[in-house]
Each structure stands twice: as structure tokens, then as C-alpha cells.
């Protein structure tokens, strides 16, 4: 273990939540056997994970679309690195859907060798930071940092869950030719959810009717997800999420960073991130009114 505090520990360059996973389990994932039908949703924390988990569940499960099944998303698209309930991941029925915040280098070898499919969802890092800042108040498992300057410095140094945003996205993007991977941005989903859902279906080889697509788009809207207990995390016990401090489904928009970051904080952020960000091929928009 490289470093550790009350909330996070760092192992092989990546920060994990204390007591939810062990270094031995992380190591074991490299040999987790991948099937061609496996689908991994990969995100840096606060980038649209629950949104895309919900979309995947809706695409794959008619019973979710038509409301006849009521399964928790954590059971439909569980976290590969946080198998707290000790579920038998190996023998899950195919196609197995998984979520992960892991950096590329800790992923199963089979995935790196081109088996399975990966959907990587990225979000502009200022909104990620602001979402993380608010979430750290709600999450009992994360350190609550009241001072935005202080949490921004942690974020810029990679001392947050998921580690350094730039390393995460660069690490995955560098492997784009070696694996089956679809990159999506939170911003494009926000601007045109239907097109994003169609892109995902196309990538996964799933043929849905127009009506079924309408259902997916409708049930994946921020408004519907905010009141759905499967997606708003309100079923979580108070020793995990403290809803007296805020909501998980908070604002769900693009550009909220402008409401909290000062000019000086924005300049400081850019001075650390801008150079590497300019080399990324992603089109993030920084305001809900900006064109993509
Ligand atoms: S986590 O804790 O890493 O799993 O969080 P994650 O799900 O990646 O990100 C949470 C943010 O995603 C927003 N969200 C949505 N935005 C728009 N539309 C929909 N349907 C949607 N679902 C979730 C959620 O509100 C969090 O962002 P913020 O900015 O905090 O509102």
C-alpha cells in the first residue's frame, strides 16, 4: 500500500475507499476471465456512472423498460472492484454487465487483449470536481472537505477517489486501438440523450424499436431518475450516504462549476490541467448553452 488515510488508500497508483476492497482482490482482477459478451462501463467518479448504468439496464432488460421488474442497478451493473456482497461474478449469466472506476492498468488482461466491450463516459473535469465536492458531504465514506480550495488541490494532485482525472482518461484513451471501446461524454448525453442511446445500442449490437428507445430515453431523464429509488441511491443506509447533507441526483447539468469556482480558482485549475487537456480529443462543453 502506498499511502492511506481514514477514507482512502492508494494501491498501485490508484485511490480506493477504505474497507471496501483489498489489495489482494485488486490484484486478482487482472486474471478475472473476460468473455466476448462482457460489457464494462468505465468512468472517473462523478462522470455519469449511474446514468449510464441505468441506460445499460434499460437497454438490456425489457422488464426494466416496461416496469415489470424492479431490480437494483447495483445488481444489474455491479462494480467489479467493489464486490462487497461477494457475488459470484464469474458465473453471472451473459451478457455480464459491470461498472468500474479502475484505471486501465488495473483491468483484467482479457479486456486489454480485446475481449469484451468497454463504454467509457467522460465529463468535463470542473463539473466532476464540483459534483465530487458536494458528494463528499453526502458520502460518509469520503472525507468531507468544506473548503473548496482544499478539495480542488486534492483533485488536481489526484488525491481523490479515482486518483488523477488526467491519468484516468489519458490511460484509457491511449488503448483505444487495442480494445473494443466506445467513448461518450456526459455533455453529449446531456445535449442529445437519444443519439447517445442509439450510439450505445449500435456499439453493443442491440436492436431496439423506436418505442423501446423512447422508453430508455424517458426513464434515463434526470427528472425520472431523481425520483426513482433505484437510481437516486435513497435506499443506501445512513452510514453510507447522509441525505441530510444533500442529494446524489443533485443538479445533473453542464457548467455548474461556474457557480462555485472563483476566477482565481478557475485560473489555478487551468494552469495545472490545460496543457494536458488540450491534447485530448474530447469535446467537452463548459456551459449548458455552449454548442458541442
Ligand atoms: S458516482 O458516485 O461516481 O457513481 O457518481 P456518478 O453517477 O458518476 O455521477 C453523479 C453525477 O451524475 C449526475 N446524473 C445525471 N445527470 C444528468 N442526467 C441524468 N439522468 C443523471 N443521472 C445522474 C448526478 O446528478 C451527479 O452530478 P451532479 O453534478 O452532482 O448533479
Amino acid at each position: 500500500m502506498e499511502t492511506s488515510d481514514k477514507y482512502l488508500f492508494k494501491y498501485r497508483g490508484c485511490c480506493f475507499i477504505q474497507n471496501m476492497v483489498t489489495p489482494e482482490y485488486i490484484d486478482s482482477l487482472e486474471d478475472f476471465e473476460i468473455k466476448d459478451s462482457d460489457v464494462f462501463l468505465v468512468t472517473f467518479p462523478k462522470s455519469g456512472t449511474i446514468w449510464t448504468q441505468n441506460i445499460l439496464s434499460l437497454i438490456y432488460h425489457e422488464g426494466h423498460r416496461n416496469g415489470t421488474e424492479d431490480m437494483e442497478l447495483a445488481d444489474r451493473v455491479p462494480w467489479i472492484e467493489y464486490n462487497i456482497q461477494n457475488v459470484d461474478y464469474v458465473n453471472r449469466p451473459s451478457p455480464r454487465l459491470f461498472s468500474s472506476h479502475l484505471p486501465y492498468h488495473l483491468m483484467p488482461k482479457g479486456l486489454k487483449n480485446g475481449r469484451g466491450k468497454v463504454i467509457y463516459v467522460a465529463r468535463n473535469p470542473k463539473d466532476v470536481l464540483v459534483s465530487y465536492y458536494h458528494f463528499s458531504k453526502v458520502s460518509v465514506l469520503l472525507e468531507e472537505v468544506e473548503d473548496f480550495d482544499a478539495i480542488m488541490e486534492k483533485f488536481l494532485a489526484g488525491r481523490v477517489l479515482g486518483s488523477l482525472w488526467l491519468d484516468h482518461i489519458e490511460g484509457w484513451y491511449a488503448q483505444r486501438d487495442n480494445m473494443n471501446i466506445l467513448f461518450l461524454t456526459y455533455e453529449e448525453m446531456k445535449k442529445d440523450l437519444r443519439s447517445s442511446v442509439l450510439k450505445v445500442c449500435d456499439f453493443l449490437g442491440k436492436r431496439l424499436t423506436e418505442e423501446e428507445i423512447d422508453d430508455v430515453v424517458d426513464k434515463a431523464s434526470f427528472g425520472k431518475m431523481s425520483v426513482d429509488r433505484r437510481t437516486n441511491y435513497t435506499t443506501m443506509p445512513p452510514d453510507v450516504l447522509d441525505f441530510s447533507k444533500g442529494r446524489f441526483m443533485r443538479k445533473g447539468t453542464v457548467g455548474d462549476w461556474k457557480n462555485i469556482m472563483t476566477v482565481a480558482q478557475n485560473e489555478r485549475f487551468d494552469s495545472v490541467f490545460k496543457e494536458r487537456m488540450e491534447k485530448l480529443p474530447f469535446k467537452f462543453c463548459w456551459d449548458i448553452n455552449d454548442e458541442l
Side-chain angles (χ1 to χ4, degrees):
M1 214 173 290
E2 290 143 42
T3 51
S4 177
D5 64 24
K6 190 177 160 209
Y7 299 93
L8 298 179
F9 71 89
K10 195 167 192 180
Y11 180 65
R12 297 178 64 191
C14 185
C15 296
F16 296 93
I17 301 176
Q18 290 283 14
N19 304 321
M20 279 183 67
V21 59
T22 61
E24 294 71 32
Y25 179 73
I26 296 161
D27 287 341
S28 76
L29 287 178
E30 278 178 304
D31 293 318
F32 181 79
E33 207 164 314
I34 299 296
K35 300 179 182 175
D36 288 327
S37 55
D38 288 344
V39 178
F40 280 76
L41 161 64
V42 178
T43 53
F44 188 89
K46 312 319 290 179
S47 299
T49 324
I50 193 78
W51 195 3
T52 321
Q53 282 173 312
N54 194 37
I55 291 170
L56 287 177
S57 173
L58 285 161
I59 289 175
Y60 277 97
H61 297 278
E62 190 184 353
H64 186 173
R65 282 198 302 276
N66 64 22
T68 56
E69 282 172 21
D70 183 24
M71 199 189 259
E72 292 290 324
L73 277 188
D75 298 327
R76 280 267 162 81
V77 197
W79 300 93
I80 189 91
E81 67 267 35
Y82 295 116
N83 188 0
I84 334 156
Q85 287 163 6
N86 253 323
V87 175
D88 180 3
Y89 283 167
V90 173
N91 294 309
R92 280 171 70 77
S94 294
R96 301 181 303 181
L97 310 176
F98 294 108
S99 308
S100 182
H101 289 322
L102 285 176
Y104 170 81
H105 70 274
L106 296 181
M107 277 306 217
K109 283 188 214 119
L111 208 65
K112 294 177 176 172
N113 293 333
R115 300 198 76 180
K117 290 187 171 174
V118 177
I119 298 174
Y120 187 101
V121 181
R123 184 182 192 185
N124 91 55
K126 292 177 189 172
D127 281 335
V128 169
L129 163 61
V130 168
S131 181
Y132 189 89
Y133 169 65
H134 290 290
F135 183 62
S136 71
K137 297 176 193 167
V138 178
S139 172
V140 181
L141 306 179
L142 297 176
E143 182 185 10
E144 180 177 348
V145 185
E146 273 301 333
D147 176 15
F148 188 80
D149 256 331
I151 200 156
M152 185 173 86
E153 288 309 319
K154 280 177 180 258
F155 185 85
L156 295 176
R159 285 185 284 117
V160 290
L161 188 63
S163 307
L164 187 65
W165 183 91
L166 285 165
D167 287 346
H168 199 276
I169 192 162
E170 283 175 358
W172 278 97
Y173 188 70
Q175 302 302 327
R176 65 196 174 281
D177 296 330
N178 303 327
M179 55 201 321
N180 300 315
I181 186 161
L182 171 72
F183 288 95
L184 283 177
T185 64
Y186 179 99
E187 291 76 21
E188 69 175 298
M189 289 166 67
K190 190 74 200 168
K191 292 265 168 191
D192 186 350
L193 185 53
R194 193 183 172 85
S195 296
S196 301
V197 169
L198 289 171
K199 249 191 212 176
V200 171
C201 288
D202 200 37
F203 176 67
L204 298 173
K206 295 290 291 177
R207 286 189 176 278
L208 267 60
T209 64
E210 289 290 305
E211 269 173 36
E212 288 169 336
I213 296 285
D214 288 344
D215 259 352
V216 176
V217 173
D218 176 56
K219 292 193 170 71
S221 68
F222 184 79
K224 289 271 165 72
M225 285 181 60
S226 300
V227 292
D228 181 345
R229 56 176 179 70
R230 281 171 304 190
T231 53
N232 63 18
Y233 275 104
T234 49
T235 53
M236 282 283 171
D239 58 342
V240 177
L241 296 181
D242 177 356
F243 287 106
S244 68
K245 305 260 182 75
R247 280 166 293 138
F248 182 91
M249 295 292 293
R250 197 182 57 88
K251 284 198 177 170
T253 192
V254 177
D256 190 40
W257 62 273
K258 291 183 178 171
N259 296 319
I260 191 162
M261 289 171 73
T262 62
V263 172
Q265 284 166 340
N266 188 35
E267 281 172 6
R268 163 78 185 135
F269 190 105
D270 285 346
S271 72
V272 181
F273 262 43
K274 205 168 176 197
E275 202 181 316
R276 278 171 75 180
M277 275 205 75
E278 275 171 357
K279 298 198 181 96
L280 291 171
F282 299 97
K283 277 193 156 188
F284 295 110
C285 63
W286 302 92
D287 186 283
I288 191 74
N289 298 313
D290 287 351
E291 294 274 313
L292 250 187

